[in-house]
Amino acid sequence: MKYIKLFLSFLIINTLLSQSSAAAFWHKDTINLGNDIQKEEFPEGKDVEPKIEESAEEQNSALLITGGVEEVNDITLDDCLRLALGNNPRIQSAMQDVFAADARLKQIWSNYFPQLSWQSGYTRIRQLQLSDVFRENLVYNYYLLGQISASQMLYDFGVTQNKATISRLDKQGYQIMLTATVNDVVCEVKKAYYNLQYALEAKKVAQEMVDRYGAFYNQAKAFYAAGTSPKVDVTIAEVNLSNAKLMLIQAEHSISIAMARLSNTMGLSYASKYKISDNLRYNPCNITLCEAVEIARESRPEFKLADVRVEEARQNVKLAKKSYFPTLNVEGQYQIGGSHPTSNYGYNFGGYLTFPTVNGMLIRNEIKEAKALHLKEQSTAAGTKNDIYYEIQQAFYSLQEKKSSIPVAFLGLKQAKENYELSYGRYKVGVGNPVELKESQVQYQDAMLQYYNSLFQFNSARAELEKFIGKNLTDGEIQLDLGKKDKKKLRNKKSA
């Protein structure tokens, strides 16, 4: 009984000591809550940063384009356009279509060239009927040492001319499609180039945010060391700095993707990283809607192609009506041969008026089909022109919208910068708080990105408008398909 009482007393004393110890530790944790941090669970930012394998010299060295026509260090928009015109496979494919159409046109004109043929041979003949009549085998050899034949089409009452007209219009259509392909590629290259410029500006913004969050982190550590702010402010600043570094990494990868996109639009299968020599900026584009429509009527490839398709369909109607017409030919033939290779010779020549085999029902319905297709092309051309007018209006109003948003975005950037400077000044003297400073920094970062994005959107909208009107609007860029008047004006402008 005495031992049981001693054991119970020992348990009670041990329990009280444990509770008092736990209370002491809890009181200690409560006092230091927000000031101490377990580095094993939450390591320092510098301990988890990725290791850079390349040296600083390798990173800053100018890399070259190795997949293009020439190797360059710095590249401009004009350089990108020239590389695209020489390397883009879509342009090369469209050029081959033009060459093929030209060859088809020459094939049609070949109907007016003489046709020559040569034949020689040997034949052993046993005539069944004659052998049966004369009751003996009549077998003889026939030699053809040479037979020269020549024929010339003199006139087919306009059929060949009509086919050549259709083929010439087809070739003209492929030439127009080549111009349209060039316009599309130029627009894609410009938009990819502006996207790369925006990615570079976004990286600058991310780097600036890293620097500002680094200053915020250093200031928080100084306040914590002086005892004027808790450890939680340092932790918040460190988290913000880590997020800013993450955004910087993402911005750097966005640049690589933008470069790959630009290389793809230029037709380069693979190209190393390169530098561009100009920054994202505002290039004025003063043009009215009426001027844009007038330029499109003269320069837009699809506008011209619609008229070409209508004329081609009309020529097909004329060709179908000529199915009844004959063909006037002259032919000549000279032969050497006979029972021995040179035993005899012969010749013949003459002119022939050959009429085609006529199927009245077939030809009549072919004419009806051609007329229906002609009316269809007229309707299609009208719809194409309406779509072009709509695209021009949409691109023009979009350009005006992007143009109007630039000063607003710049004003927002100015206000956000002033707000950040005020917030940082308040925090630096100890009257501000980290939350207020973080919000001002985020607003400043968003305002910078919004401003650069507005510039990017404006330049992209201008490239779209240039595509839809079929002509470049900015001086200093590559001018495509300049006419004689345009070339004369450009020379006079340069001389002035």
Side-chain angles (χ1 to χ4, degrees):
M1 190 66 181
K2 180 174 66 174
Y3 294 106
I4 294 174
K5 292 181 178 181
L6 289 174
F7 179 72
L8 292 175
S9 301
F10 176 76
L11 288 178
I12 293 172
I13 293 172
N14 190 24
T15 302
L16 293 174
L17 290 176
S18 300
Q19 292 178 352
S20 62
S21 178
F25 281 112
W26 172 254
H27 180 68
K28 179 181 178 181
D29 292 342
T30 304
I31 293 176
N32 294 323
L33 183 64
N35 292 329
D36 292 338
I37 188 169
Q38 297 180 4
K39 295 184 178 181
E40 294 79 6
E41 186 176 356
F42 303 100
E44 295 286 342
K46 62 182 180 180
D47 296 333
V48 295
E49 289 180 354
K51 304 299 181 182
I52 299 177
E53 298 179 357
E54 298 180 352
S55 61
E57 296 180 356
E58 293 176 345
Q59 289 183 346
N60 297 327
S61 62
L63 300 176
L64 303 178
I65 294 179
T66 58
V69 178
E70 57 182 351
E71 294 184 349
V72 294
N73 290 327
D74 295 336
I75 191 169
T76 64
L77 180 58
D78 289 347
D79 296 329
C80 293
L81 293 176
R82 291 188 180 93
L83 288 171
L85 294 178
N87 293 275
N88 191 281
R90 292 173 53 193
I91 296 178
Q92 300 297 326
S93 177
M95 290 177 61
Q96 298 306 318
D97 286 336
V98 175
F99 297 152
D102 181 71
R104 287 193 294 269
L105 175 60
K106 293 177 180 178
Q107 291 173 25
I108 295 175
W109 284 120
S110 66
N111 292 336
Y112 283 107
F113 283 73
Q115 300 182 15
L116 301 176
S117 64
W118 167 272
Q119 183 180 1
S120 62
Y122 163 77
T123 305
R124 183 175 178 85
I125 302 175
R126 181 179 185 275
Q127 290 286 349
L128 177 61
Q129 294 86 352
L130 295 178
S131 298
D132 188 61
V133 170
F134 293 104
R135 302 297 178 178
E136 63 178 291
N137 294 332
L138 297 178
V139 180
Y140 60 93
N141 298 324
Y142 174 74
Y143 294 91
L144 183 62
L145 180 62
Q147 174 181 304
I148 299 176
S149 301
S151 64
Q152 173 68 53
M153 190 270 290
L154 296 180
Y155 189 59
D156 58 358
F157 298 90
V159 173
T160 298
Q161 291 92 330
N162 198 259
K163 290 182 179 179
T165 301
I166 295 173
S167 182
R168 186 176 66 252
L169 291 172
D170 186 63
K171 175 186 174 182
Q172 185 179 353
Y174 279 109
Q175 290 174 336
I176 294 174
M177 291 173 64
L178 171 60
T179 305
T181 302
V182 170
N183 284 347
D184 292 342
V185 171
V186 168
C187 180
E188 292 175 1
V189 170
K190 287 182 178 181
K191 293 172 69 175
Y193 186 82
Y194 297 142
N195 181 59
L196 177 57
Q197 288 182 322
Y198 173 72
L200 292 173
E201 298 295 347
K203 179 187 175 182
K204 294 179 182 178
V205 173
Q207 183 63 56
E208 182 178 353
M209 287 298 104
V210 170
D211 297 338
R212 293 184 182 278
Y213 279 117
F216 175 29
Y217 175 65
N218 295 331
Q219 189 69 47
K221 286 199 302 183
F223 285 159
Y224 173 68
T228 59
S229 64
K231 177 66 176 179
V232 67
D233 290 359
V234 180
T235 304
I236 293 175
E238 188 173 11
V239 170
N240 295 336
L241 179 59
S242 300
N243 292 334
K245 291 180 179 179
L246 179 60
M247 293 185 63
L248 178 60
I249 294 174
Q250 294 173 348
E252 291 174 349
H253 284 281
S254 297
I255 292 176
S256 300
I257 295 174
M259 286 185 178
R261 176 186 174 187
L262 179 58
S263 299
N264 180 261
T265 56
M266 291 189 296
L268 306 179
S269 57
Y270 174 77
S272 301
K273 293 182 179 180
Y274 43 87
K275 297 190 301 183
I276 60 176
S277 57
D278 53 350
N279 297 324
L280 188 63
R281 65 183 186 274
Y282 169 71
N283 294 319
C285 179
N286 299 320
I287 185 174
T288 63
L289 182 59
C290 294
E291 292 173 347
V293 172
E294 290 299 325
I295 293 174
R297 288 175 180 172
E298 297 294 332
S299 304
R300 177 71 184 268
E302 288 81 357
F303 202 98
K304 298 179 180 179
L305 183 61
D307 294 333
V308 169
R309 295 305 184 205
V310 172
E311 179 61 23
E312 187 175 354
R314 191 179 72 85
Q315 293 294 329
N316 280 320
V317 175
K318 295 176 63 177
L319 180 62
K321 292 180 178 180
K322 295 179 180 179
S323 300
Y324 297 101
F325 293 179
T327 303
L328 179 61
N329 297 300
V330 293
E331 295 181 2
Q333 193 177 78
Y334 181 81
Q335 301 174 338
I336 297 179
S339 58
H340 297 284
T342 59
S343 61
N344 208 340
Y345 72 93
Y347 64 88
N348 64 77
F349 64 89
Y352 306 92
L353 187 64
T354 305
F355 287 86
T357 302
V358 175
N359 186 331
M361 183 176 181
L362 175 63
I363 296 176
R364 184 179 61 183
N365 285 281
E366 286 178 347
I367 295 174
K368 288 183 178 180
E369 179 187 6
K371 289 181 178 179
L373 293 177
H374 180 219
L375 295 176
K376 175 187 174 182
E377 288 297 336
Q378 288 179 336
S379 301
T380 302
T384 300
K385 293 178 181 179
N386 288 338
D387 292 340
I388 291 174
Y389 292 143
Y390 171 71
E391 289 174 348
I392 293 174
Q393 294 178 73
Q394 187 179 28
F396 178 80
Y397 293 130
S398 176
L399 180 65
Q400 297 301 316
E401 175 191 354
K402 307 305 180 185
K403 180 180 179 180
S404 301
S405 65
I406 293 177
V408 178
F410 180 76
L411 180 60
L413 173 60
K414 182 180 178 181
Q415 295 172 345
K417 183 178 180 181
E418 293 177 355
N419 183 38
Y420 166 74
E421 292 176 349
L422 292 174
S423 299
Y424 186 72
R426 285 168 51 82
Y427 182 78
K428 195 171 183 180
V429 297
V431 297
N433 59 77
V435 176
E436 177 187 355
L437 181 58
K438 170 67 181 300
E439 290 180 354
S440 63
Q441 285 177 320
V442 171
Q443 292 175 357
Y444 181 40
Q445 178 182 2
D446 293 342
M448 284 192 291
L449 293 176
Q450 181 62 36
Y451 173 68
Y452 290 122
N453 183 65
S454 62
L455 291 177
F456 165 67
Q457 293 293 337
F458 171 79
N459 290 329
S460 298
R462 189 190 62 190
E464 288 283 348
L465 181 61
E466 291 174 346
K467 170 188 172 181
F468 291 141
I469 66 176
K471 190 174 183 180
N472 290 332
L473 298 175
T474 305
D475 295 336
E477 295 184 356
I478 295 179
Q479 301 291 330
L480 303 174
D481 295 334
L482 288 177
K484 294 182 179 180
K485 294 182 179 180
D486 294 333
K487 290 180 179 179
K488 185 177 180 180
K489 290 180 181 180
L490 186 60
R491 286 195 299 266
N492 295 335
K493 185 177 181 180
K494 288 183 178 180
S495 61

